[in-house]
Amino acid sequence: MQTSLAQGIRDTPAGREAAAVIGKCVHCGFCLATCPTYRVLGDELDSPRGRIYLMKQVLEGKPATATTQRHLDRCLTCRACETTCPSGVEYHALLDTGRAAVEAQVGRPPRERLLRAALRAVTRRRRLFSLLAALGRVFSVALPASLRRQLIPPSSSSQRKLGSMDSGFRRNDRVARVLLLQGCVQPGLRPNINASATRVLARAGVETIEVPAAGCCGALRFHLGAHADGLDDMRALIDAWWPQVEAGVEAIVITASGCGAQVRDYGRLLRHDPAYAERAARVSALARDLAEVVEAHSGTLLASAPAPSTTKVAFQSPCTLQHGQRVTGAVELLLKAAGYELVPVRDGHLCCGSAGTYSITQPELSRRLRADKLAALEAGRPDVIVSANIGCITHLAAGTERPVRHWIELLDERLGP
């Protein structure tokens, strides 16, 4: 696709990247078939191809409008279009630039500004969010059932004490050492996830290190339009991790695929920052989804195959796992090897509607997408639904009576003490 960007952006790093992305798009329309919003709304401007056209117009100098902003806001950034695209269009990179350009021109109503400011302020602060989540559980009887299901983890007779971080690790002559991202909202909503990850990795001889000073990965503020603040969060996380990186950790393990996709993008996002470009690239290169690390040690962990389980499991593969990180099949293989029966899930490539804060900023569309996803997940009558991302877990839990958990919790329980 031919483009001629406006003078103000043409010779900037963001402009050159945007021009390269637009130039790759051949308008073939393959992306329409996998775009969740286009499938629901049927509007060309709510498809990747349509949004590329809108962003191209703005970057070429045409004034942005509230309509332009609305179509861009509706994008989930699920990146299914990137998986489908035969031309290798890095749509999410263009979306970062396009949304920023539109945001600079088009204001938002006061209520919308307040909501976004609150989300940026609260969700990235681990202690504050955990406190609010704890208060929600205390007063859960007064909350709607859907919100209770988000705040209160599903019970399990074999689940360890919630939040226990005792890994049972015993130092050997040769062990792998990895960093484990704590996250922002996950510790307050599902503290057992990282605890289970720590125990499972310990059984494989992998020592996990959590750095208390390590904060938000930057995704929350960055994707809510506060790019400079989001980049500051990324720099702060790199600084917190860097002593351990220099000490030789073998990987940075992330249990929330949304955070993993963001950290893996640090090298691109900070490549023009002379003080951080090299370190950001190093951190991105070390980033691994938990499934990748567990799969690499599955021979040790599952040397003796557990007896078949009577539990039927439906796996929801988050967009940030399959499209953002291109990790596919690993979780399913691990659960099968652990003895679980996996039920088939149709349209597994489609988004559940969580998408970070999308379920809050675009509630109607998000609920429609969740209903479709839950219908697909529950068609095989599973006993439990599992995912690999905290946002997807809590979003799905709000719409079903079935327990929704992280897959590592099930693996932890099957492997035993």
Side-chain angles (χ1 to χ4, degrees):
M1 188 186 297
Q2 295 292 323
T3 185
S4 178
L5 301 189
Q7 186 64 40
I9 194 172
R10 182 184 306 159
D11 296 322
T12 66
R16 286 190 288 269
E17 180 179 55
V21 175
I22 293 171
K24 282 187 176 181
C25 180
V26 296
H27 237 58
C28 66
F30 280 22
C31 57
L32 273 63
T34 57
C35 175
T37 53
Y38 179 74
R39 286 169 62 103
V40 169
L41 300 171
D43 188 333
E44 173 81 10
L45 295 180
D46 284 310
S47 74
R49 186 171 69 179
R51 292 183 179 115
I52 288 174
Y53 181 71
L54 288 174
M55 290 185 281
K56 175 178 178 291
Q57 286 185 315
V58 172
L59 295 174
E60 288 178 339
K62 183 177 179 179
T65 66
T67 300
T68 308
Q69 187 179 63
R70 182 170 65 253
H71 289 299
L72 297 188
D73 282 350
R74 285 175 179 169
C75 178
L76 295 133
T77 323
C78 69
R79 297 173 63 177
C81 56
E82 294 186 16
T83 300
T84 309
C85 181
S87 302
V89 174
E90 292 185 306
Y91 171 80
H92 77 288
L94 177 62
L95 190 65
D96 290 341
T97 301
R99 277 178 166 165
V102 172
E103 195 80 14
Q105 294 186 41
V106 182
R108 292 185 181 276
R111 182 178 178 182
E112 219 173 294
R113 292 201 304 270
L114 181 61
L115 174 62
R116 287 170 172 260
L119 289 171
R120 289 194 293 263
V122 174
T123 51
R124 61 179 291 274
R125 290 181 166 85
R126 184 187 307 129
R127 290 182 180 177
L128 175 59
F129 187 88
S130 295
L131 174 62
L132 293 174
L135 288 173
R137 284 191 285 270
V138 170
F139 298 103
S140 61
V141 67
L143 298 175
S146 60
L147 186 53
R148 284 200 302 272
R149 289 193 292 267
Q150 287 181 299
L151 290 174
I152 302 175
S155 61
S156 170
S157 58
S158 59
Q159 187 170 322
R160 316 292 186 81
K161 182 181 178 182
L162 188 64
S164 170
M165 293 302 292
D166 178 16
S167 66
F169 180 81
R170 301 293 180 268
R171 185 174 293 280
N172 301 318
D173 292 337
R174 172 70 179 92
V175 297
R177 297 174 70 249
V178 301
L179 281 169
L180 188 66
L181 176 65
Q182 285 181 283
C184 300
V185 302
Q186 184 170 285
L189 294 173
R190 298 288 189 275
N192 200 60
I193 293 174
N194 270 17
S196 290
T198 297
R199 288 189 291 264
V200 170
L201 291 174
R203 294 186 191 99
V206 179
E207 179 184 10
T208 54
I209 303 164
E210 288 188 298
V211 178
C216 181
C217 69
L220 288 167
R221 295 208 285 183
F222 191 84
H223 293 300
L224 280 169
H227 284 192
D229 292 336
L231 292 172
D232 283 344
D233 289 338
M234 298 174 209
R235 295 183 185 101
L237 185 54
I238 291 170
D239 288 340
W241 276 340
W242 197 248
Q244 295 293 341
V245 172
E246 287 190 308
V249 292
E250 298 180 26
I252 297 171
V253 181
I254 304 168
T255 56
S257 63
C259 299
Q262 186 72 14
V263 174
R264 283 185 131 142
D265 213 17
Y266 279 13
R268 179 185 71 86
L269 293 168
L270 291 168
R271 69 192 184 284
H272 299 299
D273 185 332
Y276 281 86
E278 186 176 341
R279 284 187 287 171
R282 176 64 178 149
V283 165
S284 287
L286 285 170
R288 296 288 184 276
D289 185 81
L290 177 64
E292 296 176 280
V293 180
V294 174
E295 184 182 36
H297 294 84
S298 59
T300 300
L301 289 167
L302 301 167
S304 300
S309 170
T310 57
T311 302
K312 295 170 65 176
V313 179
F315 175 57
Q316 181 262 343
S317 181
C319 301
T320 45
L321 183 68
Q322 60 174 313
H323 305 307
Q325 301 186 70
R326 303 296 175 97
V327 176
T328 57
V331 174
E332 295 93 320
L333 288 173
L334 288 167
L335 291 174
K336 287 179 181 177
Y340 290 106
E341 177 187 351
L342 265 71
V343 301
V345 178
R346 70 175 185 275
D347 293 331
H349 62 285
L350 291 179
C351 185
C352 71
S354 172
T357 58
Y358 189 93
S359 60
I360 300 172
T361 60
Q362 300 286 331
E364 183 181 348
L365 264 175
S366 179
R367 285 193 293 267
R368 290 175 67 177
L369 292 168
R370 180 178 65 195
D372 291 344
K373 177 59 69 172
L374 283 172
L377 289 165
E378 296 184 321
R381 300 185 180 278
D383 299 300
V384 60
I385 296 169
V386 298
S387 184
N389 187 53
I390 183 61
C392 302
I393 290 168
T394 55
H395 180 57
L396 292 170
T400 180
E401 295 291 338
R402 281 186 171 82
V404 185
R405 307 178 66 191
H406 195 288
W407 65 268
I408 194 64
E409 297 176 275
L410 270 65
L411 189 61
D412 181 28
E413 291 168 5
R414 289 291 285 162
L415 293 175

